[in-house]
Amino acid sequence: MANVTFKNNPVTLLGKEVAVGDTAQDFTVLANDLSPVTLADSKGKIRLISVIPSIDTGVCSTQTRKFNEEASTLGDDVQVLTISADLPFAQARWCAAEGIANLQTLSDHRDLSFGEAYGVVIKELRLLARSIFVIDKDDKVTYVEYVGEGTDHPDYEKAILAVKELTK
């Protein structure tokens, strides 16, 4: 299991750690209108999944804005998803205030289905650990980053490069 800290304190991640080459596991999360969304809903697209602890924090906000900007340059074959355990209403409010329109925010608050399938549930906080997953059109995981310290930024450039490699 990935070793992760949050504010320099070790945390326990629940679920199965994902590795490059794995078949992406399906999950059910909620869209901002409370409708269910699964991995299968984006079958045939390249998916960049940006996972954040909470949309209302500085690093998470920056991460979401950064991937929103990048999403507009990646083409129609790429879907960018941001998943957190925030309530869908909070995600919708934040996106409206920030003008986020190029990615979809999704909530894992109800079942932690995504978090358990991808090994990112922080047991002690019931939040998701900061991480990035890139999944190709055939549901193979091609890039994984479990950010070692939950308050640090992910490697944006490597994640975007991993997506661009699949669009060639």
Side-chain angles (χ1 to χ4, degrees), residues 61-75 80 82 94 98-103 156 160 164:
S61 293
T62 299
Q63 181 174 330
T64 304
R65 283 193 300 273
K66 173 72 172 167
F67 284 125
N68 182 66
E69 291 169 18
E70 292 290 343
S72 67
T73 70
L74 297 174
V80 179
T82 293
W94 185 89
E98 295 290 328
I100 302 298
N102 300 319
L103 60 75
Y156 300 110
I160 296 300
K164 289 181 177 178

Side-chain angles (χ1 to χ4, degrees), residues 45-119:
K45 291 197 177 256
I46 298 163
R47 280 69 49 100
L48 185 154
I49 302 175
S50 170
V51 184
I52 58 174
S54 178
I55 198 79
D56 285 314
T57 63
V59 176
C60 298
S61 293
T62 299
Q63 181 174 330
T64 304
R65 283 193 300 273
K66 173 72 172 167
F67 284 125
N68 182 66
E69 291 169 18
E70 292 290 343
S72 67
T73 70
L74 297 174
D76 294 337
D77 287 342
V78 178
Q79 185 165 12
V80 179
L81 309 172
T82 293
I83 301 177
S84 71
D86 292 305
L87 292 174
F89 315 111
Q91 292 175 337
R93 175 195 42 77
W94 185 89
C95 288
E98 295 290 328
I100 302 298
N102 300 319
L103 60 75
Q104 184 177 19
T105 54
L106 300 166
S107 175
D108 200 23
H109 88 95
R110 186 177 61 187
D111 301 322
L112 296 175
S113 171
F114 174 84
E116 290 179 1
Y118 288 74

Side-chain angles (χ1 to χ4, degrees), residues 112-150:
L112 296 175
S113 171
F114 174 84
E116 290 179 1
Y118 288 74
V120 296
V121 176
I122 300 174
K123 177 181 177 182
E124 294 84 354
L125 302 173
R126 202 178 191 283
L127 297 173
L128 303 183
R130 188 175 317 284
S131 48
I132 307 290
F133 302 93
V134 175
I135 301 167
D136 72 11
K137 293 178 180 184
D138 298 316
D139 292 340
K140 288 292 180 198
V141 177
T142 64
Y143 178 84
V144 173
E145 180 185 7
Y146 289 91
V147 179
E149 165 52 46

